[in-house]
Amino acid sequence: MRIVFVNPNQPQPELLARAAQAQDRSAAVLKLRALNPQLDFSRLAAGAVVVLPGNAAATGDTPGAATAAGSSPGAQALADVQGAATAALKAAAVATRQAGAERAADAGAVAAAIANEAVKAALERDPALQADLDAALEAGQAEDKAAAADAKLLATLAKALPAEFEALARLLG
């Protein structure tokens, strides 16, 4: 028997194919359902734990997954979790960079607008408008600082993740 964690990028037919190996698809589905009565295979969520039949191939299709045919179910499950965690960290880093680029573009647009003579005159005539602008600029600076801290934390986590999973793998033997 093998245990895998569902990868968000792993299509269900691929999981069934791994389970089926030498069986037909309907037999594989029946066996999967019998081994996993707690799961609704029509809505299989990322991170779900799936028990595969003993003859199922637990290949390393998840980044960081163990590929040894003789690897223990615990080691395979840990490798699947490591792959999912690595993918999640990469996705978070991409989202953080994209948000930073959007904030930079917004800041550029605001700076261009403030440089406009008509806008400068409106700000001078309306202290409340100037106060709103100052508050928005301060909030933007706070967001930039928080985003920089988030990016630094993600980089630290990505750097530490392999060693932490290696230590856990040693515990599993």
Side-chain angles (χ1 to χ4, degrees):
M1 211 175 309
R2 299 278 188 179
I3 301 170
V4 297
F5 286 82
V6 176
N7 182 323
N9 301 321
Q10 181 179 40
Q12 187 178 349
E14 182 181 319
L15 183 64
L16 291 173
R18 286 172 62 184
Q21 210 170 34
Q23 304 172 8
D24 64 63
R25 184 179 166 102
S26 60
V29 170
L30 290 175
K31 194 157 194 169
L32 274 176
R33 289 179 196 263
L35 288 169
N36 300 279
Q38 76 285 4
L39 295 177
D40 178 357
F41 281 94
S42 65
R43 292 181 286 166
L44 201 56
V49 178
V50 181
V51 177
L52 298 178
N55 63 342
T59 59
D61 52 37
T62 303
T67 57
S71 66
S72 72
Q76 181 63 46
L78 182 63
D80 288 348
V81 170
Q82 181 180 1
T86 300
L89 281 174
K90 286 179 182 177
V94 167
T96 299
R97 283 192 300 273
Q98 287 174 339
E102 290 171 8
R103 275 192 314 282
D106 290 347
V110 168
I114 293 171
N116 180 291
E117 292 301 318
V119 172
K120 284 182 185 177
L123 290 171
E124 288 174 9
R125 285 190 308 269
D126 189 347
L129 182 61
Q130 180 66 55
D132 288 346
L133 176 62
D134 292 342
L137 292 174
E138 258 183 62
Q141 288 174 345
E143 285 179 17
D144 288 344
K145 284 182 183 178
D150 290 347
K152 185 176 180 181
L153 177 61
L154 286 170
T156 301
L157 288 171
K159 191 180 239 184
L161 187 71
E164 292 298 322
F165 274 99
E166 190 174 309
L168 286 171
R170 280 193 302 271
L171 289 174
L172 286 172

Short mmCIF file of all heavy atoms in Angstrom, two decimals, residues 108-165:
data_model
loop_
_atom_site.label_atom_id
_atom_site.label_comp_id
_atom_site.label_asym_id
_atom_site.label_seq_id
_atom_site.Cartn_x
_atom_site.Cartn_y
_atom_site.Cartn_z
N GLY A 108 4.18 54.83 -9.41
CA GLY A 108 4.61 55.64 -10.55
C GLY A 108 3.47 56.47 -11.10
O GLY A 108 3.66 57.66 -11.43
N ALA A 109 2.29 55.88 -11.19
CA ALA A 109 1.13 56.61 -11.69
C ALA A 109 0.74 57.73 -10.73
O ALA A 109 0.39 58.84 -11.17
CB ALA A 109 -0.05 55.66 -11.89
N VAL A 110 0.81 57.47 -9.43
CA VAL A 110 0.49 58.51 -8.44
C VAL A 110 1.51 59.64 -8.53
O VAL A 110 1.14 60.83 -8.51
CB VAL A 110 0.42 57.91 -7.02
CG1 VAL A 110 0.37 59.01 -5.96
CG2 VAL A 110 -0.78 56.99 -6.89
N ALA A 111 2.79 59.30 -8.64
CA ALA A 111 3.84 60.32 -8.74
C ALA A 111 3.64 61.19 -9.98
O ALA A 111 3.78 62.41 -9.91
CB ALA A 111 5.22 59.66 -8.75
N ALA A 112 3.27 60.56 -11.08
CA ALA A 112 3.02 61.31 -12.31
C ALA A 112 1.81 62.23 -12.14
O ALA A 112 1.83 63.38 -12.60
CB ALA A 112 2.81 60.35 -13.49
N ALA A 113 0.79 61.73 -11.47
CA ALA A 113 -0.40 62.56 -11.26
C ALA A 113 -0.10 63.75 -10.35
O ALA A 113 -0.55 64.87 -10.59
CB ALA A 113 -1.53 61.72 -10.67
N ILE A 114 0.68 63.50 -9.31
CA ILE A 114 1.02 64.58 -8.37
C ILE A 114 1.88 65.64 -9.04
O ILE A 114 1.81 66.82 -8.69
CB ILE A 114 1.74 63.99 -7.13
CG1 ILE A 114 0.78 63.11 -6.33
CG2 ILE A 114 2.28 65.08 -6.23
CD1 ILE A 114 1.44 62.33 -5.22
N ALA A 115 2.66 65.25 -10.03
CA ALA A 115 3.52 66.20 -10.73
C ALA A 115 2.73 67.12 -11.66
O ALA A 115 3.22 68.18 -12.06
CB ALA A 115 4.58 65.44 -11.53
N ASN A 116 1.51 66.75 -11.96
CA ASN A 116 0.66 67.55 -12.84
C ASN A 116 0.33 68.88 -12.14
O ASN A 116 -0.05 68.90 -10.97
CB ASN A 116 -0.63 66.76 -13.14
CG ASN A 116 -1.57 67.50 -14.05
OD1 ASN A 116 -2.15 68.51 -13.64
ND2 ASN A 116 -1.72 66.99 -15.25
N GLU A 117 0.47 69.98 -12.87
CA GLU A 117 0.25 71.32 -12.29
C GLU A 117 -1.18 71.50 -11.77
O GLU A 117 -1.38 72.11 -10.72
CB GLU A 117 0.59 72.41 -13.32
CG GLU A 117 2.07 72.50 -13.66
CD GLU A 117 2.94 72.78 -12.45
OE1 GLU A 117 2.57 73.61 -11.59
OE2 GLU A 117 4.02 72.15 -12.35
N ALA A 118 -2.16 70.97 -12.46
CA ALA A 118 -3.55 71.11 -12.02
C ALA A 118 -3.77 70.36 -10.71
O ALA A 118 -4.49 70.83 -9.82
CB ALA A 118 -4.50 70.61 -13.10
N VAL A 119 -3.16 69.18 -10.60
CA VAL A 119 -3.29 68.39 -9.37
C VAL A 119 -2.58 69.10 -8.22
O VAL A 119 -3.11 69.17 -7.10
CB VAL A 119 -2.74 66.97 -9.58
CG1 VAL A 119 -2.70 66.20 -8.26
CG2 VAL A 119 -3.57 66.21 -10.61
N LYS A 120 -1.39 69.65 -8.50
CA LYS A 120 -0.66 70.39 -7.46
C LYS A 120 -1.52 71.55 -6.95
O LYS A 120 -1.61 71.77 -5.73
CB LYS A 120 0.65 70.95 -8.02
CG LYS A 120 1.74 69.93 -8.19
CD LYS A 120 2.99 70.63 -8.71
CE LYS A 120 4.10 69.65 -9.01
NZ LYS A 120 5.28 70.31 -9.57
N ALA A 121 -2.16 72.27 -7.87
CA ALA A 121 -3.00 73.40 -7.47
C ALA A 121 -4.19 72.92 -6.65
O ALA A 121 -4.56 73.55 -5.64
CB ALA A 121 -3.47 74.16 -8.72
N ALA A 122 -4.80 71.82 -7.04
CA ALA A 122 -5.95 71.28 -6.30
C ALA A 122 -5.53 70.87 -4.89
O ALA A 122 -6.27 71.10 -3.92
CB ALA A 122 -6.55 70.10 -7.05
N LEU A 123 -4.36 70.27 -4.77
CA LEU A 123 -3.87 69.86 -3.45
C LEU A 123 -3.59 71.06 -2.57
O LEU A 123 -3.84 71.02 -1.35
CB LEU A 123 -2.61 69.00 -3.61
CG LEU A 123 -2.80 67.61 -4.20
CD1 LEU A 123 -1.46 66.95 -4.51
CD2 LEU A 123 -3.60 66.72 -3.25
N GLU A 124 -3.07 72.13 -3.14
CA GLU A 124 -2.78 73.34 -2.37
C GLU A 124 -4.08 74.00 -1.89
O GLU A 124 -4.13 74.56 -0.80
CB GLU A 124 -1.96 74.32 -3.21
CG GLU A 124 -0.53 73.87 -3.42
CD GLU A 124 0.23 74.78 -4.39
OE1 GLU A 124 -0.29 75.86 -4.76
OE2 GLU A 124 1.34 74.39 -4.78
N ARG A 125 -5.13 73.95 -2.72
CA ARG A 125 -6.41 74.58 -2.36
C ARG A 125 -7.22 73.75 -1.37
O ARG A 125 -8.07 74.29 -0.66
CB ARG A 125 -7.27 74.78 -3.62
CG ARG A 125 -6.83 75.90 -4.51
CD ARG A 125 -7.86 76.19 -5.60
NE ARG A 125 -8.26 75.02 -6.35
CZ ARG A 125 -7.68 74.59 -7.48
NH1 ARG A 125 -6.66 75.24 -7.97
NH2 ARG A 125 -8.11 73.52 -8.10
N ASP A 126 -6.98 72.44 -1.32
CA ASP A 126 -7.83 71.56 -0.51
C ASP A 126 -6.97 70.77 0.49
O ASP A 126 -6.43 69.72 0.16
CB ASP A 126 -8.60 70.60 -1.42
CG ASP A 126 -9.66 69.80 -0.69
OD1 ASP A 126 -9.66 69.78 0.56
OD2 ASP A 126 -10.48 69.16 -1.39
N PRO A 127 -6.86 71.26 1.74
CA PRO A 127 -6.04 70.57 2.74
C PRO A 127 -6.53 69.15 3.03
O PRO A 127 -5.73 68.25 3.32
CB PRO A 127 -6.14 71.44 3.99
CG PRO A 127 -6.72 72.74 3.54
CD PRO A 127 -7.41 72.51 2.24
N ALA A 128 -7.84 68.92 2.94
CA ALA A 128 -8.37 67.57 3.20
C ALA A 128 -7.91 66.60 2.11
O ALA A 128 -7.55 65.44 2.40
CB ALA A 128 -9.89 67.60 3.26
N LEU A 129 -7.90 67.07 0.88
CA LEU A 129 -7.41 66.23 -0.23
C LEU A 129 -5.93 65.92 -0.03
O LEU A 129 -5.50 64.78 -0.23
CB LEU A 129 -7.64 66.95 -1.56
CG LEU A 129 -7.23 66.20 -2.83
CD1 LEU A 129 -7.99 64.89 -2.95
CD2 LEU A 129 -7.45 67.08 -4.06
N GLN A 130 -5.15 66.93 0.38
CA GLN A 130 -3.72 66.72 0.64
C GLN A 130 -3.53 65.71 1.78
O GLN A 130 -2.67 64.84 1.70
CB GLN A 130 -3.03 68.04 0.99
CG GLN A 130 -1.54 67.92 1.26
CD GLN A 130 -0.74 67.50 0.03
OE1 GLN A 130 -0.82 68.16 -1.00
NE2 GLN A 130 0.01 66.42 0.15
N ALA A 131 -4.36 65.81 2.82
CA ALA A 131 -4.27 64.87 3.95
C ALA A 131 -4.60 63.45 3.50
O ALA A 131 -3.93 62.48 3.91
CB ALA A 131 -5.20 65.31 5.08
N ASP A 132 -5.61 63.29 2.65
CA ASP A 132 -5.96 61.96 2.12
C ASP A 132 -4.81 61.39 1.30
O ASP A 132 -4.48 60.21 1.40
CB ASP A 132 -7.23 62.03 1.27
CG ASP A 132 -8.49 62.24 2.08
OD1 ASP A 132 -8.44 62.07 3.32
OD2 ASP A 132 -9.53 62.56 1.47
N LEU A 133 -4.21 62.25 0.48
CA LEU A 133 -3.08 61.81 -0.33
C LEU A 133 -1.90 61.39 0.55
O LEU A 133 -1.29 60.34 0.34
CB LEU A 133 -2.63 62.91 -1.30
CG LEU A 133 -1.40 62.60 -2.13
CD1 LEU A 133 -1.64 61.39 -3.03
CD2 LEU A 133 -0.97 63.80 -2.95
N ASP A 134 -1.61 62.19 1.57
CA ASP A 134 -0.51 61.86 2.47
C ASP A 134 -0.77 60.52 3.18
O ASP A 134 0.15 59.70 3.31
CB ASP A 134 -0.31 62.97 3.51
CG ASP A 134 0.22 64.27 2.89
OD1 ASP A 134 0.76 64.20 1.75
OD2 ASP A 134 0.10 65.33 3.53
N ALA A 135 -2.01 60.30 3.61
CA ALA A 135 -2.36 59.04 4.28
C ALA A 135 -2.21 57.86 3.31
O ALA A 135 -1.70 56.79 3.68
CB ALA A 135 -3.79 59.10 4.81
N ALA A 136 -2.62 58.05 2.07
CA ALA A 136 -2.49 56.99 1.07
C ALA A 136 -1.03 56.68 0.78
O ALA A 136 -0.64 55.52 0.64
CB ALA A 136 -3.23 57.38 -0.21
N LEU A 137 -0.21 57.72 0.69
CA LEU A 137 1.22 57.51 0.45
C LEU A 137 1.88 56.78 1.62
O LEU A 137 2.72 55.89 1.41
CB LEU A 137 1.92 58.84 0.17
CG LEU A 137 1.55 59.53 -1.14
CD1 LEU A 137 2.18 60.91 -1.22
CD2 LEU A 137 1.95 58.68 -2.33
N GLU A 138 1.49 57.13 2.84
CA GLU A 138 2.01 56.44 4.03
C GLU A 138 1.59 54.97 4.03
O GLU A 138 2.39 54.09 4.34
CB GLU A 138 1.47 57.10 5.31
CG GLU A 138 2.46 57.99 5.99
CD GLU A 138 1.90 58.57 7.29
OE1 GLU A 138 1.59 57.76 8.20
OE2 GLU A 138 1.77 59.78 7.37
N ALA A 139 0.34 54.71 3.69
CA ALA A 139 -0.15 53.33 3.63
C ALA A 139 0.62 52.54 2.57
O ALA A 139 0.97 51.37 2.78
CB ALA A 139 -1.65 53.30 3.33
N GLY A 140 0.91 53.18 1.46
CA GLY A 140 1.69 52.53 0.41
C GLY A 140 3.09 52.18 0.88
O GLY A 140 3.62 51.10 0.57
N GLN A 141 3.70 53.09 1.63
CA GLN A 141 5.04 52.81 2.17
C GLN A 141 4.99 51.66 3.18
O GLN A 141 5.89 50.81 3.19
CB GLN A 141 5.62 54.07 2.82
CG GLN A 141 6.01 55.13 1.81
CD GLN A 141 6.44 56.44 2.47
OE1 GLN A 141 6.19 56.67 3.65
NE2 GLN A 141 7.10 57.29 1.69
N ALA A 142 3.94 51.62 3.99
CA ALA A 142 3.81 50.52 4.95
C ALA A 142 3.61 49.19 4.22
O ALA A 142 4.18 48.16 4.62
CB ALA A 142 2.62 50.79 5.89
N GLU A 143 2.83 49.20 3.14
CA GLU A 143 2.64 47.99 2.34
C GLU A 143 3.96 47.54 1.72
O GLU A 143 4.25 46.33 1.67
CB GLU A 143 1.62 48.22 1.23
CG GLU A 143 0.18 48.25 1.69
CD GLU A 143 -0.79 48.50 0.54
OE1 GLU A 143 -0.42 48.34 -0.63
OE2 GLU A 143 -1.94 48.85 0.84
N ASP A 144 4.76 48.48 1.25
CA ASP A 144 6.06 48.14 0.67
C ASP A 144 6.98 47.49 1.70
O ASP A 144 7.66 46.50 1.40
CB ASP A 144 6.73 49.38 0.08
CG ASP A 144 6.07 49.86 -1.20
OD1 ASP A 144 5.28 49.10 -1.80
OD2 ASP A 144 6.33 51.03 -1.59
N LYS A 145 6.98 48.03 2.93
CA LYS A 145 7.80 47.45 3.99
C LYS A 145 7.33 46.04 4.34
O LYS A 145 8.13 45.12 4.51
CB LYS A 145 7.77 48.33 5.24
CG LYS A 145 8.62 49.56 5.14
CD LYS A 145 8.58 50.36 6.43
CE LYS A 145 9.38 51.63 6.29
NZ LYS A 145 9.33 52.46 7.51
N ALA A 146 6.01 45.86 4.44
CA ALA A 146 5.45 44.55 4.76
C ALA A 146 5.77 43.55 3.64
O ALA A 146 6.11 42.39 3.90
CB ALA A 146 3.94 44.64 4.98
N ALA A 147 5.67 43.99 2.40
CA ALA A 147 5.97 43.11 1.27
C ALA A 147 7.44 42.72 1.26
O ALA A 147 7.79 41.57 0.96
CB ALA A 147 5.59 43.80 -0.04
N ALA A 148 8.31 43.65 1.60
CA ALA A 148 9.74 43.32 1.66
C ALA A 148 10.00 42.29 2.76
O ALA A 148 10.78 41.36 2.57
CB ALA A 148 10.56 44.59 1.90
N ALA A 149 9.33 42.46 3.89
CA ALA A 149 9.47 41.48 4.99
C ALA A 149 8.93 40.12 4.56
O ALA A 149 9.53 39.08 4.86
CB ALA A 149 8.75 41.98 6.23
N ASP A 150 7.80 40.11 3.85
CA ASP A 150 7.23 38.86 3.35
C ASP A 150 8.18 38.17 2.38
O ASP A 150 8.38 36.95 2.45
CB ASP A 150 5.88 39.10 2.65
CG ASP A 150 4.77 39.51 3.60
OD1 ASP A 150 4.95 39.37 4.83
OD2 ASP A 150 3.72 39.97 3.12
N ALA A 151 8.77 38.92 1.48
CA ALA A 151 9.70 38.35 0.50
C ALA A 151 10.92 37.76 1.21
O ALA A 151 11.40 36.68 0.85
CB ALA A 151 10.13 39.41 -0.51
N LYS A 152 11.41 38.46 2.22
CA LYS A 152 12.56 37.97 2.98
C LYS A 152 12.21 36.68 3.72
O LYS A 152 12.98 35.72 3.72
CB LYS A 152 13.03 39.04 3.97
CG LYS A 152 14.28 38.69 4.71
CD LYS A 152 14.74 39.84 5.59
CE LYS A 152 16.00 39.47 6.35
NZ LYS A 152 16.44 40.55 7.23
N LEU A 153 11.02 36.63 4.31
CA LEU A 153 10.57 35.43 5.01
C LEU A 153 10.42 34.26 4.05
O LEU A 153 10.84 33.13 4.34
CB LEU A 153 9.24 35.69 5.73
CG LEU A 153 8.61 34.50 6.44
CD1 LEU A 153 9.53 33.97 7.54
CD2 LEU A 153 7.26 34.88 7.02
N LEU A 154 9.83 34.49 2.89
CA LEU A 154 9.68 33.43 1.89
C LEU A 154 11.04 32.90 1.45
O LEU A 154 11.22 31.68 1.29
CB LEU A 154 8.89 33.93 0.69
CG LEU A 154 7.39 34.11 0.92
CD1 LEU A 154 6.76 34.83 -0.27
CD2 LEU A 154 6.72 32.78 1.16
N ALA A 155 12.00 33.78 1.25
CA ALA A 155 13.34 33.35 0.86
C ALA A 155 13.99 32.52 1.96
O ALA A 155 14.63 31.49 1.68
CB ALA A 155 14.21 34.56 0.52
N THR A 156 13.81 32.93 3.20
CA THR A 156 14.35 32.18 4.33
C THR A 156 13.72 30.80 4.42
O THR A 156 14.42 29.79 4.62
CB THR A 156 14.13 32.96 5.65
OG1 THR A 156 14.78 34.23 5.55
CG2 THR A 156 14.67 32.20 6.85
N LEU A 157 12.41 30.75 4.26
CA LEU A 157 11.72 29.46 4.30
C LEU A 157 12.17 28.55 3.17
O LEU A 157 12.41 27.35 3.37
CB LEU A 157 10.20 29.67 4.22
CG LEU A 157 9.53 30.24 5.47
CD1 LEU A 157 8.08 30.59 5.17
CD2 LEU A 157 9.63 29.26 6.62
N ALA A 158 12.28 29.09 1.97
CA ALA A 158 12.70 28.29 0.81
C ALA A 158 14.11 27.74 1.01
O ALA A 158 14.40 26.61 0.61
CB ALA A 158 12.63 29.13 -0.46
N LYS A 159 14.96 28.52 1.65
CA LYS A 159 16.34 28.08 1.90
C LYS A 159 16.38 26.99 2.96
O LYS A 159 17.15 26.03 2.86
CB LYS A 159 17.17 29.29 2.34
CG LYS A 159 18.65 29.04 2.38
CD LYS A 159 19.37 30.29 2.84
CE LYS A 159 20.35 30.73 1.78
NZ LYS A 159 21.15 31.87 2.21
N ALA A 160 15.54 27.11 3.99
CA ALA A 160 15.55 26.16 5.11
C ALA A 160 14.76 24.88 4.83
O ALA A 160 15.04 23.85 5.44
CB ALA A 160 14.99 26.84 6.36
N LEU A 161 13.82 24.94 3.93
CA LEU A 161 12.91 23.81 3.70
C LEU A 161 13.63 22.49 3.38
O LEU A 161 13.32 21.48 4.02
CB LEU A 161 11.92 24.18 2.58
CG LEU A 161 10.80 23.18 2.34
CD1 LEU A 161 9.82 23.21 3.50
CD2 LEU A 161 10.08 23.51 1.04
N PRO A 162 14.57 22.46 2.45
CA PRO A 162 15.21 21.17 2.14
C PRO A 162 15.88 20.52 3.36
O PRO A 162 15.73 19.31 3.57
CB PRO A 162 16.23 21.52 1.06
CG PRO A 162 15.71 22.76 0.43
CD PRO A 162 15.04 23.51 1.54
N ALA A 163 16.58 21.29 4.14
CA ALA A 163 17.26 20.73 5.32
C ALA A 163 16.26 20.22 6.35
O ALA A 163 16.48 19.16 6.97
CB ALA A 163 18.17 21.78 5.96
N GLU A 164 15.16 20.92 6.53
CA GLU A 164 14.14 20.48 7.48
C GLU A 164 13.50 19.17 7.04
O GLU A 164 13.29 18.26 7.85
CB GLU A 164 13.07 21.57 7.66
CG GLU A 164 13.57 22.81 8.35
CD GLU A 164 14.06 22.57 9.76
OE1 GLU A 164 13.45 21.75 10.49
OE2 GLU A 164 15.06 23.19 10.16
N PHE A 165 13.21 19.06 5.75
CA PHE A 165 12.62 17.82 5.25
C PHE A 165 13.65 16.68 5.27
O PHE A 165 13.28 15.53 5.49
CB PHE A 165 12.01 18.01 3.86
CG PHE A 165 10.60 18.51 3.93
CD1 PHE A 165 10.31 19.86 3.75
CD2 PHE A 165 9.56 17.64 4.17
CE1 PHE A 165 9.01 20.31 3.84
CE2 PHE A 165 8.24 18.09 4.25
CZ PHE A 165 7.97 19.42 4.09
#
